[in-house]
Amino acid sequence: MLVNLNTIELDFDYFDADQGPSYIEGAENVAKICADMEGKRAAEEIRAGYTEAANATSEMLDSIFGAGTGEKVMQGKKSLKLCIDILNALRESVDKQAAELAAVQAKYTPNRLARRAAKS
């Protein structure tokens, strides 16, 4: 499924054996960095946190889509908002893909209650 990350369209398959786990690991890492930033007030601490989050987001994108993707999407920016926008776009794609998979599985999953009721 195509996902738009900072005007760059990429093919993201959450259920791919490489892309899915890379997304989960990367998103958890970025979320931890953001949580660690709470309460930071000094400019240097905030700058360091933004940089760490941007680097982690770039590494996650490289892990999911291949080397160089993080730089292409991040465009050299160290923006926490951009990191969050990227995570949100990926999360929305995951939710959409999960719904599509559930709909396909529902076609092939027998309704056991209905069959049991029919037997009675």
Side-chain angles (χ1 to χ4, degrees):
M1 168 174 280
L2 289 179
V3 62
N4 188 331
L5 305 177
N6 197 23
T7 72
I8 309 292
E9 281 197 341
L10 298 164
D11 190 19
F12 177 54
D13 181 0
Y14 175 69
F15 296 103
D16 178 80
D18 295 322
Q19 288 188 338
S22 294
Y23 160 74
I24 293 168
E25 183 179 305
E28 287 174 351
N29 188 30
V30 174
K32 181 187 177 305
I33 291 167
C34 291
D36 290 346
M37 286 180 56
E38 285 190 37
K40 305 283 177 158
R41 298 286 180 237
E44 284 305 313
E45 290 178 322
I46 293 170
R47 183 176 290 113
Y50 289 177
T51 300
E52 188 178 3
N55 290 341
T57 302
S58 183
E59 289 171 13
M60 175 187 68
L61 293 172
D62 285 349
S63 179
I64 295 171
F65 301 109
T69 306
E71 180 60 34
K72 184 177 178 182
V73 172
M74 299 294 290
Q75 300 173 356
K77 296 179 182 175
K78 305 279 189 219
S79 168
L80 184 62
K81 183 183 180 316
L82 178 57
C83 297
I84 292 170
D85 288 346
I86 289 168
L87 289 176
N88 283 337
L90 290 170
R91 177 78 243 163
E92 288 172 8
S93 181
V94 168
D95 291 345
K96 205 178 268 187
Q97 290 179 48
E100 289 174 359
L101 181 63
V104 169
Q105 287 176 322
K107 291 179 183 179
Y108 299 103
T109 303
N111 185 338
R112 291 178 184 222
L113 293 177
R115 287 190 312 176
R116 286 184 185 167
K119 287 182 181 180
S120 300

